[in-house]
Amino acid sequence: MARTIEQLRKEVLAANIEIFRRGLAQFTFGNVSGFDRERGVVVIKPSGVPYAKLTAKMLVACDLNGKVARGALRPSSDLPTHLVLYRAFAGVNAIVHTHSPHATAWAQAGREIPCFGTTHADHFHGSVPVTDAMTAREISGDYVAKEKVKWLGDWMRTAKPGDVVYLNDDHESVPKEHADVAIECDDV
């Protein structure tokens, strides 16, 4: 039986609350979206809403063109990037965008996160890569999404199963197990 949009909203809400609870998102930063490919519906956290006040009804449902179908609030400013990734990668059905303190520090330094332990090695099979620094021109346009698609596509061609913990091919749920592993590796 196919899930309803309300079920998807509940799953996306639970994942958003979890990244906040785990310290992977602060204030209103970060977001989780889920995609129901059967219905062509993306559900995403609205922009500017504190996690402590977030409810399932506040989540925004839209199509792959960004046209809002349900929700009175403005979708996350990251929606265009999520939509580009969903269109580019048929196996991606959920996206978790965090601002974890440790991973953010590595990314801002332009450094990959080296493998320091078995948990990391079991799930990432090497260093966690970082994208190249983007130019002002790339940031000001829709280049951010295109750059992510190019970078992920290049990386996925050489990835082994388990390497891409933030991409999920489970058609029925937002990835909690993958988020748990990413949190553990971020804490190391």
Side-chain angles (χ1 to χ4, degrees), residues 118-175:
T118 57
T119 301
H120 183 149
D122 289 346
H123 293 278
F124 287 88
H125 308 288
S127 296
V128 177
V130 64
T131 60
D132 294 333
M134 297 183 72
T135 67
R137 181 173 170 247
E138 290 170 331
I139 292 168
S140 68
D142 65 351
Y143 295 97
V144 174
K146 290 176 183 174
E147 180 64 21
K148 286 180 183 175
V149 168
K150 179 189 172 302
W151 181 84
L152 281 171
D154 291 347
W155 188 54
M156 288 173 69
R157 279 189 273 288
T158 61
K160 293 179 235 140
D163 278 359
V164 187
V165 299
Y166 49 89
L167 300 180
N168 180 30
D169 62 1
D170 178 354
H171 296 276
E172 297 301 322
S173 64
V174 173

Side-chain angles (χ1 to χ4, degrees), residues 4-184:
T4 66
I5 302 303
E6 296 314 310
Q7 288 170 316
L8 180 59
R9 278 178 141 174
K10 287 177 186 175
E11 292 173 8
V12 172
L13 173 65
N16 272 287
I17 298 303
E18 189 67 10
I19 66 170
F20 178 73
R21 188 183 76 74
R22 296 286 188 111
L24 296 177
Q26 298 179 30
F27 311 111
T28 62
F29 307 152
N31 53 65
V32 175
S33 71
F35 181 35
D36 184 325
R37 287 191 180 273
E38 262 184 54
R39 288 185 166 79
V41 174
V42 174
V43 172
I44 193 166
K45 179 184 175 289
S47 184
V49 175
Y51 287 92
K53 295 182 180 184
L54 192 61
T55 66
K57 283 190 174 188
M58 290 177 172
L59 297 175
V60 182
C62 60
D63 65 18
L64 269 182
N65 295 313
K67 181 180 177 192
V68 174
R70 289 189 193 172
L73 301 174
R74 186 171 44 97
S76 167
S77 59
D78 293 312
L79 178 63
T81 300
H82 289 228
L83 296 176
V84 167
L85 293 171
Y86 287 134
R87 285 191 298 262
F89 301 106
V92 174
N93 294 298
I95 297 170
V96 180
H97 171 187
T98 70
H99 286 260
S100 62
H102 301 104
T104 299
W106 282 94
Q108 289 182 340
R111 307 261 326 261
E112 292 184 346
I113 302 173
C115 181
F116 287 127
T118 57
T119 301
H120 183 149
D122 289 346
H123 293 278
F124 287 88
H125 308 288
S127 296
V128 177
V130 64
T131 60
D132 294 333
M134 297 183 72
T135 67
R137 181 173 170 247
E138 290 170 331
I139 292 168
S140 68
D142 65 351
Y143 295 97
V144 174
K146 290 176 183 174
E147 180 64 21
K148 286 180 183 175
V149 168
K150 179 189 172 302
W151 181 84
L152 281 171
D154 291 347
W155 188 54
M156 288 173 69
R157 279 189 273 288
T158 61
K160 293 179 235 140
D163 278 359
V164 187
V165 299
Y166 49 89
L167 300 180
N168 180 30
D169 62 1
D170 178 354
H171 296 276
E172 297 301 322
S173 64
V174 173
K176 183 180 180 319
E177 176 189 339
H178 291 311
D180 289 342
V181 171
I183 290 162
E184 179 63 28

